[in-house]
């Protein structure tokens, strides 16, 4: 861990200090400090990733989040399955090894030491558009009990700005029909004539 990352946790992550390995972030937390919130108009009361609200912290996923309800939170989105610590850590290491590709970002309730929101930026490397990158917004979930605190908008906006920061030329998502008004309210739109998600489930 670089000294700046380690200092970040000394300053920001006091409530759940544990062995350094558990605090290992999936990506450099300093990236979140670089996000430009100046043009984001849909957040109320000055909420940003740096000022998420009392007792809340926006940060990269850490290894120790296995113990902080991360997987239980994901199960509010879809099936998760019975994932051992070993499997979790192996997947974490695989994601980390794909440098600049997976940015799993969480909101922690630092009073409870619990993960209450999460979303992922997945970056695809492309040949098109001069070897550009495309972002995908994935696995957005906020604990039901934390509704009304702008946490959905906060985590999605964080990922959107992160996609811009790391050089994606666009970011897209798949969602249920009922979620379209939410994503529309924070800047996502369907492109005319280019609005079809097609899948094969295995
Ligand atoms: C939603 C999610 C997607 C997630 C999928 C899981 C967003 C914007 N979309 O479509 O990322 O992977 O649900 O559902 O969060 P599934 O297990 O039925 O495929």
């Amino acid at each position: 861990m670089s000294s700046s990352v380690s200092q970040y946790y000394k300053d920001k992550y006091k409530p759940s200090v544990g062995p350094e390995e558990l605090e290992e972030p999936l990506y450099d937390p300093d990236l979140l400090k670089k996000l430009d919130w100046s043009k984001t108009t849909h957040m109320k009361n000055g909420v940003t990733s740096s000022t998420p609200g009392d007792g809340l912290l926006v940060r990269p996923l850490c290894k120790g989040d296995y113990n902080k309800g991360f997987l239980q939170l994901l199960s509010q989105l879809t099936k998760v399955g019975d994932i051992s610590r070993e499997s979790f850590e192996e997947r974490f290491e695989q994601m980390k090894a794909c440098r600049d590709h997976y940015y799993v970002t969480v909101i922690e309730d630092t009073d409870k030491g619990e993960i209450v929101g999460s979303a992922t930026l997945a970056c695809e490397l492309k040949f098109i558009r001069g070897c550009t990158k495309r972002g995908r917004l994935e696995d957005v979930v906020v604990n039901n009990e934390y509704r009304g605190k702008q946490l959905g908008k906060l985590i999605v906006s964080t990922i959107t700005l992160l996609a811009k920061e790391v050089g994606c030329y666009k970011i897209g998502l798949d969602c249920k029909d009922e979620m379209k008004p939410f994503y529309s309210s924070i800047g996502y739109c369907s492109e005319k004539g280019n609005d079809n998600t097609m899948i094969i489930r295995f």
Side-chain angles (χ1 to χ4, degrees):
M1 193 183 278
S2 76
S3 64
S4 70
V5 172
S6 151
Q7 189 57 46
Y8 174 89
Y9 279 103
K10 276 189 191 128
D11 294 341
K12 286 284 217 175
Y13 193 41
K14 284 177 190 146
S16 43
V17 173
E20 186 152 317
E21 199 196 341
L22 293 180
E23 296 179 14
E24 180 189 333
L26 185 61
Y27 66 89
D28 181 356
D30 283 345
L31 259 181
L32 293 173
K33 292 185 192 158
K34 294 184 186 159
L35 304 185
D36 177 9
W37 286 85
S38 65
K39 295 190 186 71
T40 304
T41 53
H42 52 253
M43 299 302 300
K44 286 183 240 147
N45 306 324
V47 167
T48 69
S49 47
S50 307
T51 52
D54 286 348
L56 297 172
L57 176 65
V58 178
R59 59 168 175 79
L61 180 73
C62 291
K63 263 196 182 164
D65 291 336
Y66 183 82
N67 284 339
K68 293 188 175 186
F70 173 66
L71 295 174
Q72 288 78 359
L73 177 68
L74 285 185
S75 72
Q76 291 189 18
L77 175 70
T78 188
K79 292 177 192 168
V80 174
D82 189 13
I83 298 176
S84 66
R85 170 179 283 283
E86 194 183 24
S87 302
F88 175 80
E89 291 188 357
E90 189 182 354
R91 179 47 46 96
F92 184 99
E93 292 297 349
Q94 286 166 342
M95 285 184 170
K96 193 158 183 170
C98 299
R99 209 172 139 248
D100 302 335
H101 192 113
Y102 294 103
Y103 300 86
V104 184
T105 305
V106 299
I107 304 173
E108 180 180 358
D109 178 330
T110 54
D111 296 329
K112 292 187 183 169
E114 189 182 327
I115 304 305
V116 298
S118 180
T120 296
L121 167 64
C123 280
E124 285 176 14
L125 299 181
K126 298 266 190 185
F127 285 114
I128 62 164
R129 295 181 184 258
C131 289
T132 190
K133 292 186 210 175
R134 183 236 158 101
R136 291 186 186 275
L137 172 65
E138 291 285 345
D139 301 335
V140 178
V141 59
V142 171
N143 186 325
N144 292 329
E145 291 169 22
Y146 287 71
R147 291 249 164 90
K149 294 178 187 286
Q150 303 188 79
L151 298 193
K153 285 185 178 180
L154 172 62
I155 196 71
V156 172
S157 304
T158 299
I159 294 295
T160 308
L161 294 175
L162 195 53
K164 192 160 184 224
E165 178 63 34
V166 301
C168 294
Y169 84 104
K170 69 179 181 182
I171 179 166
L173 63 93
D174 299 319
C175 70
K176 296 198 170 109
D177 293 347
E178 69 203 40
M179 292 305 295
K180 279 184 92 171
F182 167 71
Y183 288 110
S184 297
S185 76
I186 51 178
Y188 286 79
C189 63
S190 302
E191 279 185 330
K192 203 160 180 253
N194 188 16
D195 178 24
N196 301 290
T197 298
M198 301 174 79
I199 59 165
I200 298 177
R201 285 203 186 247
F202 299 107

